[in-house]
Amino acid sequence: MKEKQDQHRLSDWLPTTNKEVKIRGWEALDVILFSGDAYVDHPSFGPAVIGRILESYGLRVAIVPQPSVTDNLQDFTKLGVPRLFFGITGGCMDPMVSNYTASKKRRDKDAYTPNGDIGFRPDYATTVYSNILKEKFPDVPVLIGGIEASLRRVTHYDYWSDKLMPSILESSKADMLVYGMGEQPLREVVELLQKGVPFSSLKTIKQTAVLIDKGEKFPKNSNWEDVSIHSHEVCLKDKKKFASNFKVIEQESNKLKARRIFQEVGGKTLMINPPYPTMTEKEIDASFDLPYTRLPHPKYNKRGPIPAFEMIKFSINIHRGCFGGCSFCTISAHQGKFIASRSQESVLKEVDTVANMPDFKGYLSDIGGPSANMYKMKGKIQSICDKCVAPSCISPVICSNLDTSHKPLTELYQAVDKHPKVKKSFIGSGIRHDMLVPEFNKNADPKELDAYTEEVMTKHVSGRLKVAPEHTSDPVLKLMRKPSFTYFHKFKERFDKINIKKGLKLQLIPYFISNHPACEVEDMANLAAETKDMGFQLEQVQGFTPTPMTVATVIYYSGYHPYTLKPTRTPKTKKEKDEQHRFFFWYRRENKDWISKTLNKLGRKDLLSVLLPENDKWKKNKTTGKAKHTFDDAVPFNQRKNKAKFKSKTGKKRR
């Protein structure tokens, strides 16, 4: 690390101490940022992006990463009082996701802390930091943002406390919340403050939320329509009304011409202003082209590597946003469903910067984004998008107005690989495999889709291609806003064809989720049987974790689907969750008897015959003493002579 940082001066990073402030020759600061993450000066780390954006406006900015909340709180006072405001973010992940597993167990590593050490980020960090600052400096404005604030901007269910919580503005006592990506609203905030407008008067800035005191008049904006949702107090009493709120929130968050949202909470009124339009290519390029060192602050040199940085230090982010709208995912709630893509020139400029880093060995770990293959995709006719309220552009079918051409992305990959110092560029981000299937993506040229798939398989993966069908049950997939598993079968056929054609030995690795709303034990048994029948022994599996601002989380808490208000069941008890997860590991001997009893009880001997056929062989491992399962059916499913067929819960035949 030291060799890399020798080319930089300490003043190349935003200051984190008084000493560093003095090195820059500053006597006072305009903005002081507090972050739950260690400070990595890289465009993939939100606190660094916000700091650099504010700096580009001519402000004197400092950052206090991971301030201690267990001592005399000197980290909150050491830099004094900023001229404009304090800014707070819990970090690149919600602190509760950083600190706890899906089973609510404390994690033993924090990816955003040197050496992965834990204990440097408090639970509900944004609220904790804000309350400390408001107590010590009650007259200084506090602005909160980042993923934690963004997804907790309205009444929301908190899985870790198992409670319905009000807007984080209420619990944090902050003066303003910026939701989504913060560059655009921050620009307007700074411009108005620099003109002398008091912070307390900043009530009509897009993509911000504030609390209006009782008796205070609502600020007017003739360009906005207003909509009210059920109050926090009503939500506490009525889960169905809480669920009904979410349809409004999600639709207004993803509309280009959205309404302003009002919600009563604790005698005050929460006002959420409409979002900004999607960032233009010029705007997003400007954000990525700022003078990042792309390195952790030198203060961490002796503490060990930061895992999250090590994972992405040789990667390139090419766009923001995701139009998938998956029911369990928060990406569109934070980044929006419309894609903001960087120019090829900006991407290649960053590739050149990375390629010239001292320890670059010629391998880019990722050329991607929230979903790897959505670069440059947008509506063909903008006026149609302007009126759209659909939360997803590709569910239940791909919108006929969506341009899904993969040609710009294929050309970008090829341009990146022409760099003389790049030996290979990998695609580490998740690829939407369904968009590469002509039967599903009817808008696209099949030859173009095959060209992209072949480009990825032959040049951008190393042994394994990971995709996320998530489930095999059509009812569960429909609720997830994912396409039928039929299209995964079709993608695998194309994958196998290219594998053979090019003489490759690539593996296809599918990701799946258990315990999702609408998923029953029988669905998981079907998942296990169908994937086994395709030749898979599952590795990349996870249990559903309820996080704020998703359809699935609303269902988990309330029991109602927010769009239909129909009762929808979710596995909740530890026993239910463990049993569903157990089907992922049908090949473990300790699960054999349980699976047999469960499927016999369900009357699903068809599934049992697939998972535990009579010719399965179990033998003792002499060295470990553990049971080891050897397969007679290790041949890939599509190459077997006798392909088993069975019916899923929906009655459809599965191959």
Side-chain angles (χ1 to χ4, degrees):
M1 182 69 74
K2 188 176 186 302
E3 178 188 350
K4 291 185 288 182
Q5 292 179 339
D6 282 345
Q7 62 184 317
H8 293 287
R9 300 168 300 171
L10 186 59
S11 58
D12 289 338
W13 282 265
L14 297 174
T16 64
T17 64
N18 267 312
K19 178 183 176 182
E20 294 168 41
V21 172
K22 298 299 182 187
I23 288 174
R24 289 199 171 206
W26 296 345
E27 294 299 322
L29 294 163
D30 296 313
V31 178
I32 301 174
L33 302 175
F34 289 83
S35 169
D37 295 338
Y39 172 32
V40 181
D41 191 40
H42 188 283
S44 292
F45 290 76
V49 174
I50 296 306
R52 290 299 185 184
I53 285 288
L54 293 170
E55 180 187 52
S56 73
Y57 299 152
L59 301 182
R60 295 162 295 180
V61 185
I63 183 168
V64 182
Q66 299 188 318
S68 175
V69 298
T70 58
D71 54 14
N72 61 3
L73 306 180
Q74 64 178 2
D75 283 344
F76 293 88
T77 59
K78 65 182 182 182
L79 295 181
V81 179
R83 181 175 65 90
L84 298 180
F85 59 86
F86 288 115
I88 296 174
T89 172
C92 294
M93 293 174 64
D94 188 295
M96 302 309 290
V97 177
S98 293
N99 290 349
Y100 298 93
T101 67
S103 58
K104 300 185 182 181
K105 293 180 180 178
R106 174 71 69 166
R107 295 189 189 275
D108 55 9
K109 291 287 183 182
D110 186 328
Y112 292 87
T113 302
N115 202 40
D117 292 339
I118 60 173
F120 288 85
R121 180 201 316 273
D123 294 350
Y124 310 105
T126 299
T127 294
V128 172
Y129 296 161
S130 183
N131 274 286
I132 291 171
L133 288 171
K134 292 307 289 185
E135 183 177 340
K136 290 187 173 297
F137 309 102
D139 297 326
V140 181
V142 171
L143 186 154
I144 59 176
I147 193 81
E148 181 183 21
S150 186
L151 301 185
R152 295 173 180 267
R153 59 187 182 263
V154 293
T155 294
H156 59 279
Y157 172 69
D158 179 69
Y159 170 66
W160 295 272
S161 64
D162 193 24
K163 292 179 181 177
L164 206 60
M165 301 180 74
S167 166
I168 194 172
L169 275 172
E170 172 75 5
S171 56
S172 69
K173 302 181 177 65
D175 298 278
M176 176 183 286
L177 183 155
V178 170
Y179 66 92
M181 311 308 281
E183 291 100 330
Q184 294 163 297
L186 276 176
R187 181 180 63 235
E188 188 174 349
V189 167
V190 171
E191 286 176 353
L192 291 172
L193 292 176
Q194 294 285 54
K195 291 178 180 178
V197 177
F199 196 99
S200 59
S201 297
L202 305 181
K203 300 287 177 68
T204 57
I205 295 174
K206 285 184 177 180
Q207 216 164 302
T208 65
V210 295
L211 284 175
I212 307 294
D213 289 329
K214 191 173 184 178
E216 184 181 348
K217 289 184 178 181
F218 298 149
K220 293 182 180 180
N221 189 311
S222 58
N223 295 319
W224 297 344
E225 293 182 14
D226 296 335
V227 60
S228 293
I229 58 177
H230 297 292
S231 72
H232 176 67
E233 288 70 26
V234 166
C235 291
L236 288 173
K237 297 175 182 177
D238 191 326
K239 290 183 176 182
K240 194 171 187 179
K241 289 182 177 177
F242 162 72
S244 71
N245 276 356
F246 189 79
K247 179 180 179 181
V248 176
I249 295 163
E250 184 177 47
Q251 288 185 339
E252 300 306 324
S253 298
N254 286 310
K255 282 165 61 175
L256 289 176
K257 294 183 179 179
R259 295 177 291 179
R260 181 169 56 174
I261 299 173
F262 289 99
Q263 183 188 33
E264 299 296 320
V265 51
K268 298 181 180 180
T269 302
L270 171 67
M271 182 176 73
I272 305 175
N273 294 330
Y276 267 90
T278 307
M279 292 179 79
T280 64
E281 183 178 271
K282 183 178 179 181
E283 286 175 324
I284 194 169
D285 281 356
S287 182
F288 278 88
D289 293 345
L290 293 168
Y292 305 96
T293 63
R294 298 185 65 87
L295 297 168
H297 191 279
K299 70 194 298 179
Y300 306 122
N301 284 353
K302 296 180 180 179
R303 287 182 54 188
I306 299 171
F309 168 70
E310 295 298 318
M311 186 174 69
I312 58 87
K313 65 179 176 179
F314 299 133
S315 70
I316 309 292
N317 192 337
I318 61 176
H319 77 267
R320 290 180 185 164
C322 178
F323 47 67
C326 297
S327 296
F328 51 84
C329 182
T330 61
I331 291 172
S332 63
H334 185 61
Q335 295 192 15
K337 75 171 183 178
F338 296 103
I339 306 301
S341 298
R342 299 171 63 186
S343 67
Q344 186 176 118
E345 292 73 22
S346 175
V347 171
L348 294 178
K349 180 180 176 181
E350 187 176 0
V351 169
D352 188 63
T353 299
V354 173
N356 284 290
M357 292 174 70
D359 58 346
F360 181 69
K361 305 299 183 185
Y363 301 97
L364 294 170
S365 60
D366 188 23
I367 306 292
S371 288
N373 53 326
M374 291 186 180
Y375 180 70
K376 294 282 187 179
M377 295 184 186
K378 60 181 181 179
K380 300 170 187 175
I381 302 173
Q382 186 58 45
S383 60
I384 295 177
C385 292
D386 290 345
K387 299 173 184 177
C388 180
V389 298
S392 172
C393 302
I394 56 176
S395 177
V397 297
I398 294 180
C399 175
S400 60
N401 189 49
L402 181 65
D403 180 0
T404 58
S405 172
H406 283 65
K407 187 176 181 181
L409 190 51
T410 304
E411 292 174 346
L412 177 64
Y413 293 164
Q414 293 167 348
V416 168
D417 286 350
K418 287 179 181 178
H419 193 286
K421 292 188 178 181
V422 173
K423 295 177 183 177
K424 188 163 185 172
S425 59
F426 294 96
I427 311 303
S429 305
I431 290 176
R432 287 292 305 227
H433 68 278
D434 47 346
M435 292 177 60
L436 300 175
V437 176
E439 291 86 349
F440 182 65
N441 190 356
K442 298 175 182 178
N443 299 351
D445 180 350
K447 292 181 180 179
E448 193 179 279
L449 298 182
D450 281 348
Y452 174 81
T453 306
E454 193 168 304
E455 170 79 16
V456 170
M457 289 178 62
T458 56
K459 298 179 181 178
H460 303 286
V461 293
S462 179
R464 297 174 147 201
L465 177 63
K466 298 177 181 179
V467 296
E470 307 295 9
H471 220 288
T472 59
S473 164
D474 283 342
V476 177
L477 287 166
K478 182 179 179 182
L479 193 149
M480 286 180 165
R481 295 177 181 156
K482 299 282 283 188
S484 171
F485 194 66
T486 301
Y487 298 113
F488 177 74
H489 280 278
K490 292 186 179 298
F491 176 75
K492 187 177 184 301
E493 289 171 6
R494 304 177 91 80
F495 175 90
D496 291 341
K497 184 178 179 181
I498 294 171
N499 234 353
I500 294 169
K501 173 185 173 184
K502 294 294 182 179
L504 305 172
K505 295 182 179 179
L506 298 180
Q507 284 182 290
L508 186 62
I509 307 296
Y511 283 54
F512 293 96
I513 294 176
S514 63
N515 313 320
H516 193 275
C519 181
E520 303 287 354
V521 168
E522 193 172 345
D523 295 313
M524 292 305 299
N526 186 79
L527 186 156
E530 187 158 3
T531 53
K532 183 197 174 186
D533 215 21
M534 294 178 75
F536 292 111
Q537 182 169 308
L538 300 182
E539 301 172 20
Q540 306 293 342
V541 300
Q542 67 181 60
F544 166 64
T545 304
T547 51
M549 201 67 83
T550 70
V551 169
T553 299
V554 172
I555 294 172
Y556 177 91
Y557 167 74
S558 71
Y560 296 97
H561 193 296
Y563 280 73
T564 65
L565 296 183
K566 291 182 179 179
T568 306
R569 206 186 81 80
T570 304
K572 282 192 172 185
T573 67
K574 185 178 186 303
K575 182 175 182 292
E576 286 180 305
K577 292 179 180 181
D578 289 347
E579 287 181 350
Q580 288 211 6
H581 206 69
R582 212 168 175 178
F583 272 108
F584 283 137
F585 307 105
W586 51 265
Y587 49 85
R588 293 180 181 171
R589 184 167 188 174
E590 64 267 26
N591 291 332
K592 186 177 182 181
D593 288 344
W594 178 84
I595 288 174
S596 180
K597 289 177 183 177
T598 301
L599 292 183
N600 275 314
K601 187 176 180 180
L602 290 171
R604 294 303 303 267
K605 292 185 178 180
D606 56 329
L607 299 181
L608 182 59
S609 67
V610 176
L611 286 177
L612 303 173
E614 289 181 0
N615 66 341
D616 271 5
K617 298 175 183 178
W618 296 86
K619 66 181 182 179
K620 193 92 168 180
N621 184 317
K622 294 179 182 179
T623 56
T624 65
K626 295 180 179 179
K628 183 178 180 182
H629 193 179
T630 58
F631 297 97
D632 286 337
D633 59 348
V635 180
F637 172 72
N638 64 345
Q639 296 176 25
R640 284 188 240 147
K641 292 181 180 178
N642 299 313
K643 300 178 183 179
K645 292 187 178 182
F646 54 93
K647 291 185 178 181
S648 71
K649 185 178 176 182
T650 59
K652 295 180 180 178
K653 285 187 177 181
R654 296 294 200 182
R655 289 203 308 171

